[in-house]
């Protein structure tokens, strides 16, 4: 494995910058600790040791947590190792805290023995220690510590006992259910809260309450992976982390792997030096620059036109008679449909170039690379295409591209989602009541059918789009907030449940390469905060519901695995024993395949693909023929809203920013949202780099600082998703219309960008 010093040197040569914690970041954290009068110590040999995995992205790097009494640690003598070697305990890895009445240090150290990261870490993971509850940092005031209720909206919140908060919640839910029916109760849940809480809340909602009103953090109904699962019979991530070191060609569409799956990308970049990359993105990111520097391509696509690009590439491959004939003949159903569809003029090279904005020679070069690396290409797609109106067409188009080239079930070759936040995989989701007429929670809100909302690990004032219209409606409901920190939701919440966070309770995570890991508890939660699953169980029992008598997290895990053949053999004890490496699923007779759809998979599971006939189905590719960008977002572009806005994930910001304020090395890197705008779009609007601007759509507006750059395609602007500062949230400019098939939130919208004349200008009444 290449160490971090070599990595930073290589990346800096290519891009001039890095997406990881730099030495300057670490110095900042050290200065912050020193200003508190804290002297850095190293963990002693007898420190308490716990196994955890990173609380942020899908990679889920392994970490060791060390806890020891202050003053009893080792003192560094001189320079004991280089700060970028991957061996030292950096200042960002350590935080002061209290445990069992004693002042302690807690170190969260990348585990060099974890097969996922081998001691490497991202800028997020490397600052996890700064997110733990500690009275030594001012940010501890933001943590929720006690249950609170508000009986009337015009009254202030008041602190109450858990008993009173639970009974108040149960009584109101029961009353609303009896008066308006179970679907009057709405749930907005984040599955980044991990497996046990996710199972608890969904069992409570679907079985206990019988409600079908719910939505996830980024979707309205439950098939984000529809474009992939329609082909393979499952949307489960099919890759293993070693594929990044074995592939010859990495194809990423709508997935900035460097920023949102950093350690996966580090392994590709550093341990697979001869592999090349095709990177599809409207922005010219660091990953785009690295792809080109390594002999690959950046296809700077017009957002929302991915189905055309996929169809054009497939057409070239078919015209050259270059598809994997053996694989297609043996395993693929519907290939004739694909061949017929791509004969249409819309997939000609000339038309594809005109629609996507990608030069013809680059499309041809991409086809060359794909054909050259047939059977050795890893194709990943994620939120950048999933959050389009044509999410299904784009996802399925890229899946078919990989399928016809035989990039399925082989080392370094597969088709998969690129993944996002940690997976709170609901292995045994109780079936929700019929959602045929109740898939879209915002519609139910607008029609007055939702009387209560439980915000379960999701900030509904950041996450839900169309905030200008929906926020006042949410405020009128009986609002239950179950979270870790104080947010604007406090201002209208009827109930606030303080939840224990990462490290304060035992949790289970499932990584995107299907490793199940146990996160051990290493400290107590602040105040009276309790585990998420326990809070849910108490409300359920207060309502007289059966089946919620869990006494330990293990009880929930046993209930889940006993109802799912893929994990039935994986016991709690196995997870404890496995440490940071975890246990891979699915498991059958003690064996787990490395990757899906492989020879090994078929030998263990008895079936190559999970469709009814065991074949890959691509008949749904006919939907791509009907695709027209002007049917969707681009039809909204006009003289009033002439630019297309897209969003992206910041490397240092995760989910709805619930840890953003705890880590100065993160929020100091990006203190404000910014708007990437092309110079030719900025100049006629009088916008200069650093100016404050307003992005205005039909739905609302938000603010950002202009970043004038050719790193965004002309005619488009880009802003960070889910930025946690007031007035800078792109949820105010987004529609609540879902993608028709996948059911995802759509984050593309027509806007105008207006320069704010004075930085001190008063906020518009439309702006929150």
């Amino acid at each position: 494995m290449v160490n971090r010093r070599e990595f930073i040197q290589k990346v800096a040569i290519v891009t001039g910058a890095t997406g990881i914690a730099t030495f300057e970041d670490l110095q900042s954290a050290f200065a912050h600790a020193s200003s508190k009068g804290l002297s850095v110590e190293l963990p002693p040999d007898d420190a308490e040791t716990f196994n955890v995995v990173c609380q942020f992205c899908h990679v889920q790097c392994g970490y060791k947590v060390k806890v020891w009494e202050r003053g009893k640690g080792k003192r560094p003598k001189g320079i004991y190792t280089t700060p970028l070697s991957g061996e030292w305990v950096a200042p960002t890895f350590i935080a002061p805290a209290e445990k069992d009445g004693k002042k302690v240090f807690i170190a969260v150290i990348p585990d060099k023995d974890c097969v996922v990261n081998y001691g490497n870490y991202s800028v997020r993971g490397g600052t996890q220690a700064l997110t733990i509850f500690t009275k030594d940092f001012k940010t501890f005031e933001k943590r929720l510590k006690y249950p609170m209720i508000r009986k009337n909206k015009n009254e202030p919140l008041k602190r109450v006992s858990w008993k009173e908060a639970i009974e108040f919640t149960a009584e109101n839910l029961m009353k609303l259910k009896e008066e308006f029916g179970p679907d009057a109760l709405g749930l907005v849940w984040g599955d980044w809260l991990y497996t046990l809480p996710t199972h608890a809340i969904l069992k409570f909602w679907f079985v206990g309450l019988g409600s079908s009103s719910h939505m996830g953090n980024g979707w309205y109904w439950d098939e984000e992976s529809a474009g992939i699962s329609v082909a393979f019979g499952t949307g489960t991530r099919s890759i293993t982390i070693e594929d990044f070191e074995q592939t010859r060609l990495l194809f990423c569409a709508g997935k900035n792997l460097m920023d949102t799956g950093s350690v996966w990308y580090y392994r590709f970049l550093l341990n697979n030096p001869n592999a090349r990359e095709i990177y599809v993105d409207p922005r010219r990111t660091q990953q785009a620059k690295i792809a080109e520097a390594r002999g690959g391509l950046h296809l700077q696509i017009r957002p929302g036109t991915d189905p055309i690009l996929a169809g054009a590439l497939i057409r070239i491959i078919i015209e050259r008679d270059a598809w994997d004939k053996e694989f297609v003949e043996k395993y693929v159903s519907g290939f004739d449909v694909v061949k017929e569809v791509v004969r249409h003029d819309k997939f000609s090279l000339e038309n594809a170039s005109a629609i996507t904005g990608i030069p013809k020679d680059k499309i041809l070069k991409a086809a060359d690379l794909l054909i050259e690396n047939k059977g050795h290409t890893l194709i990943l797609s994620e939120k950048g295409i999933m959050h389009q109106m044509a999410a299904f067409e784009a996802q399925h188009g890229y899946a078919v591209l990989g399928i016809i080239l035989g990039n399925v079930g082989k080392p370094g070759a597969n088709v998969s989602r690129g993944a996002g936040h940690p997976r709170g995989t609901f292995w045994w989701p109780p079936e929700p009541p019929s959602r045929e007429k109740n898939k879209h929670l915002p519609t139910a809100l607008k029609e007055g059918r939702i009387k209560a909302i439980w915000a379960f690990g999701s900030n509904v004032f950041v996450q839900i789009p169309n905030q200008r219209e929906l926020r006042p409606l949410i405020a009128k409901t009986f609002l239950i907030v179950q979270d870790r920190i104080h947010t604007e939701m406090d201002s209208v919440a009827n109930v606030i449940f303080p939840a224990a966070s990462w490290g304060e309770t035992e949790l289970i995570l499932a990584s995107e390469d299907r490793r199940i890991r146990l996160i051990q508890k290493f400290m107590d939660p602040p105040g009276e905060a309790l585990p998420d699953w326990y809070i849910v169980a108490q409300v359920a029992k207060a309502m007289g519901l059966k089946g919620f008598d869990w006494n330990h997290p293990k009880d929930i895990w046993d209930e889940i695995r006993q109802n799912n053949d893929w994990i039935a053999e994986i016991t709690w004890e196995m997870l404890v024993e496995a440490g940071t490496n975890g246990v891979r699923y699915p498991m059958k007779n003690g064996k787990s395949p490395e990757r899906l759809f492989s020879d090994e998979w078929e030998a263990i599971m008895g079936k190559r693909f999970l469709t009814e006939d065991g074949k890959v189905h691509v008949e749904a590719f006919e939907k791509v023929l009907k695709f027209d960008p002007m049917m969707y977002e681009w039809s909204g572009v006009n003289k009033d809203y002439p630019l297309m806005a897209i969003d992206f994930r910041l490397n240092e910001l995760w989910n709805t920013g619930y840890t953003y304020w705890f880590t100065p090395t993160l929020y100091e890197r990006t203190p404000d949202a910014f708007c990437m705008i092309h110079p030719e779009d900025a100049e006629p609007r009088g916008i200069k780099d650093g100016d404050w601007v307003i992005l205005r759509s039909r739905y609302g507006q938000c603010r950002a600082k202009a970043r004038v750059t050719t790193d965004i395609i002309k005619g488009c602007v880009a802003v960070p998703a889910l930025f946690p500062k007031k007035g800078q949230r792109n949820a105010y400019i987004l529609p609540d219309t879902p993608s028709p098939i996948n059911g995802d939130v759509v984050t593309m919208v027509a806007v105008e960008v207006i320069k704010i004349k004075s930085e001190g200008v008063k906020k518009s009444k439309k702006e929150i």
Side-chain angles (χ1 to χ4, degrees):
M1 297 292 291
V2 177
N3 67 33
R4 292 180 63 77
R5 177 177 292 278
E6 293 173 301
F7 172 74
I8 289 178
Q9 289 173 340
K10 289 185 178 183
V11 173
I13 290 171
V14 174
T15 69
T18 69
I20 62 175
T22 65
F23 188 49
E24 287 72 23
D25 289 328
L26 304 182
Q27 286 179 314
S28 173
F30 181 82
H32 184 70
S34 298
S35 70
K36 297 289 182 180
L38 301 171
S39 177
V40 174
E41 302 178 3
L42 300 179
D45 295 336
D46 61 351
E48 287 185 281
T49 303
F50 304 88
N51 293 314
V52 301
V53 294
C54 183
Q55 62 186 301
F56 297 116
C57 85
H58 55 278
V59 175
Q60 289 167 32
C61 297
Y63 285 77
K64 293 288 186 182
V65 172
K66 304 281 186 177
V67 183
W68 69 98
E69 192 173 348
R70 292 188 216 176
K72 295 187 177 180
K74 294 179 181 178
R75 298 286 180 174
K77 296 180 180 179
I79 301 176
Y80 63 95
T81 185
T82 58
L84 300 177
S85 67
E87 299 171 355
W88 83 322
V89 182
T92 54
F93 296 171
I94 302 175
E98 293 183 3
K99 184 175 182 179
D100 300 329
K102 297 179 180 179
K103 291 188 174 183
V104 298
F105 279 115
I106 297 179
V108 186
I109 307 167
D111 184 5
K112 62 182 177 59
D113 296 319
C114 177
V115 296
V116 174
N117 55 312
Y118 292 110
N120 209 341
Y121 58 95
S122 70
V123 66
R124 299 173 301 278
T127 56
Q128 287 185 100
L130 304 183
T131 72
I132 67 175
F133 177 78
T134 170
K135 295 178 181 177
D136 291 276
F137 293 165
K138 184 179 180 181
T139 47
F140 89 96
E141 296 171 358
K142 292 190 73 70
R143 275 300 298 270
L144 292 171
K145 306 177 190 69
Y146 306 102
M148 293 179 281
I149 66 171
R150 173 188 282 117
K151 293 187 176 181
N152 296 302
K153 292 290 187 180
N154 58 353
E155 295 178 355
L157 283 164
K158 69 171 183 176
R159 177 180 167 183
V160 295
S161 68
W162 270 108
K163 183 176 184 295
E164 185 175 353
I166 294 293
E167 290 178 352
F168 177 69
T169 303
E171 289 169 4
N172 278 274
L173 289 178
M174 185 64 76
K175 178 181 177 182
L176 291 170
K177 178 184 175 183
E178 290 175 352
E179 184 175 355
F180 300 102
D183 285 347
L185 311 179
L187 170 68
V188 183
W189 55 284
D191 76 345
W192 62 270
L193 276 183
Y194 322 135
T195 298
L196 307 181
T198 300
H199 175 76
I201 193 66
L202 293 186
K203 180 180 179 182
F204 172 60
W205 217 255
F206 299 160
V207 177
L209 298 179
S211 174
S212 65
S213 299
H214 72 100
M215 66 173 286
N217 265 345
W219 64 94
Y220 297 108
W221 51 86
D222 304 329
E223 189 54 291
E224 283 191 300
S225 304
I228 293 173
S229 64
V230 73
F232 296 106
T234 177
T236 297
R237 313 326 178 244
S238 54
I239 59 176
T240 181
I241 195 168
E242 290 81 9
D243 285 331
F244 291 96
E245 299 169 340
Q246 297 168 334
T247 191
R248 294 183 191 173
L249 178 66
L250 176 63
F251 183 102
C252 283
K255 175 63 180 179
N256 184 337
L257 192 64
M258 185 174 187
D259 280 359
T260 63
S262 306
V263 168
W264 277 4
Y265 192 68
Y266 301 165
R267 290 185 66 159
F268 166 77
L269 182 63
L270 301 176
N271 300 316
N272 196 355
N274 296 320
R276 286 183 285 182
E277 180 181 357
I278 298 173
Y279 179 70
V280 185
D281 197 312
R283 298 184 304 136
R284 184 169 168 76
T285 64
Q286 292 180 34
Q287 186 173 340
K289 297 169 186 176
I290 292 171
E292 291 182 334
R294 285 164 55 105
L297 288 169
H298 172 213
L299 304 183
Q300 196 165 13
I301 193 169
R302 192 181 186 213
T305 64
D306 294 84
I308 301 296
L309 174 62
L313 290 170
I314 291 169
R315 175 170 170 157
I316 294 168
I317 291 164
I318 291 174
E319 288 177 342
R320 294 184 184 178
D321 198 34
W323 71 91
D324 187 327
K325 296 177 180 59
E326 181 180 353
F327 180 82
V328 170
E329 176 67 26
K330 187 174 182 180
Y331 293 116
V332 178
S333 172
F335 185 53
D336 287 342
V337 174
V338 175
K339 289 193 289 186
E340 184 64 28
V341 166
V342 297
R343 290 175 57 190
H344 194 279
D345 288 345
K346 72 167 53 179
F347 302 112
S348 69
L349 180 62
E350 291 75 15
N351 187 66
S353 178
I355 296 297
T356 64
I358 301 170
K360 289 186 287 187
D361 63 322
K362 284 197 171 185
I363 296 176
L364 289 170
K365 177 63 174 175
D368 291 341
L369 285 172
L370 287 161
I371 293 169
E372 178 186 339
N373 295 283
K374 176 169 55 180
H376 300 280
T377 300
L378 193 59
I379 293 190
L380 303 179
S381 61
E382 192 50 38
K383 297 290 191 298
I385 64 169
M386 287 163 50
H387 286 180
Q388 303 174 11
M389 285 295 285
F392 178 88
E393 294 93 326
Q395 196 178 60
H396 190 62
Y398 287 131
V400 172
L401 176 64
I403 288 165
I404 68 168
L405 289 169
N407 297 309
V408 180
K410 302 171 185 175
N414 228 324
V415 173
S416 181
R417 275 186 56 181
H421 49 69
R423 295 188 72 198
T425 301
F426 36 108
W427 303 101
W428 173 53
E431 284 298 318
S434 173
R435 301 194 71 197
E436 185 178 353
K437 298 180 180 179
N438 195 34
K439 285 186 174 182
H440 193 223
L441 190 131
T443 294
L445 261 174
K446 293 174 191 177
E447 294 176 354
R449 291 187 279 118
I450 300 296
K451 305 301 181 182
I453 287 182
W454 193 319
F456 187 78
S458 178
N459 187 338
V460 293
F461 286 170
V462 173
Q463 194 79 50
I464 292 181
N466 194 9
Q467 281 282 309
R468 185 176 66 177
E469 184 176 6
L470 296 180
R471 182 183 279 223
L473 300 178
I474 294 169
K476 292 178 181 178
T477 67
F478 181 79
L479 180 61
I480 305 161
V481 172
Q482 185 164 329
D483 212 329
R484 284 118 186 85
I485 64 171
H486 290 284
T487 68
E488 316 93 289
M489 293 187 291
D490 292 8
S491 65
V492 294
N494 294 91
V495 179
I496 291 184
F497 289 145
S501 191
W502 175 88
E504 299 168 357
T505 181
E506 290 179 305
L507 298 163
I508 286 176
L509 271 178
S511 72
E512 297 292 28
D513 64 338
R514 303 175 318 287
R515 297 178 188 276
I516 302 174
R517 268 90 66 82
L518 178 65
I519 298 175
Q520 294 183 311
K521 176 182 176 180
F522 57 81
M523 65 183 296
D524 290 326
E528 297 175 6
L530 293 171
D532 287 286
W533 64 266
Y534 184 83
I535 297 169
V536 172
Q538 300 317 299
V539 175
K541 288 192 286 187
M543 295 181 72
L545 303 175
K546 305 298 182 183
F548 295 88
D549 295 320
W550 305 306
N551 296 312
H552 187 275
K554 178 181 180 295
D555 299 338
I556 310 177
W557 178 245
D558 285 342
E559 177 176 300
I560 298 170
R561 68 186 186 86
Q562 287 167 11
N563 288 277
N564 188 295
D565 290 342
W566 279 21
I567 60 172
E569 298 179 24
I570 302 174
T571 66
W572 184 273
E573 290 73 23
M574 289 171 65
L575 296 177
V576 173
E577 180 68 23
T580 60
N581 288 324
V583 180
R584 197 191 295 271
Y585 74 91
M587 177 177 284
K588 189 173 182 180
N589 298 322
K591 296 180 179 179
S592 301
E594 273 195 304
R595 59 186 60 80
L596 269 60
F597 318 136
S598 62
D599 292 340
E600 180 193 26
W601 162 271
E602 187 172 17
I604 293 173
M605 305 302 293
K607 194 175 186 179
R608 177 74 68 160
F609 301 105
L610 297 178
T611 54
E612 188 173 337
D613 62 1
K615 287 196 170 187
V616 180
H617 283 262
V618 296
E619 292 90 348
F621 191 74
E622 66 180 1
K623 295 182 186 298
V624 178
L625 180 59
K626 301 174 184 177
F627 168 74
D628 178 357
M630 295 307 294
M631 293 167 55
Y632 297 129
E633 294 90 0
W634 287 102
S635 65
V637 174
N638 55 39
K639 62 181 180 64
D640 295 322
Y641 306 103
L643 301 171
M644 180 58 63
I646 60 173
D647 69 359
F648 58 89
R649 299 297 178 110
L650 285 173
N651 180 281
E652 56 268 36
L653 176 63
W654 210 252
N655 204 266
T656 53
Y658 66 103
T659 59
Y660 178 80
W661 306 108
F662 292 82
T663 49
T665 56
L666 298 189
Y667 65 70
E668 288 172 4
R669 287 163 64 103
T670 308
D672 289 294
F674 58 91
C675 173
M676 299 176 69
I677 184 169
H678 193 278
E680 292 182 32
D681 293 321
E683 192 273 333
R685 292 169 172 81
I687 296 171
K688 296 181 180 178
D689 199 68
D691 286 344
W692 278 100
V693 297
I694 287 175
L695 287 85
R696 181 173 294 154
S697 76
R698 294 171 178 81
Y699 311 98
Q701 62 186 43
C702 65
R703 288 180 297 132
K705 277 192 172 181
R707 185 171 292 183
V708 181
T709 175
T710 56
D711 287 346
I712 183 68
I713 194 169
K714 186 177 180 294
C716 297
V717 295
V719 293
L722 308 176
F723 204 80
K725 281 191 174 181
K726 283 187 176 182
Q728 300 180 32
R729 296 170 180 171
N730 72 318
Y732 275 88
I733 64 173
L734 299 178
D736 59 52
T737 308
S739 58
I741 302 174
N742 281 32
D744 284 290
V745 169
V746 173
T747 61
M748 289 176 58
V749 63
V751 300
E752 177 58 287
V753 179
I754 305 161
K755 178 180 178 179
I756 299 176
K757 294 182 180 179
S758 169
E759 190 171 327
V761 69
K762 292 182 179 179
K763 295 181 182 178
S764 162
K765 291 182 179 179
K766 295 181 180 179
E767 185 182 7
I768 300 294

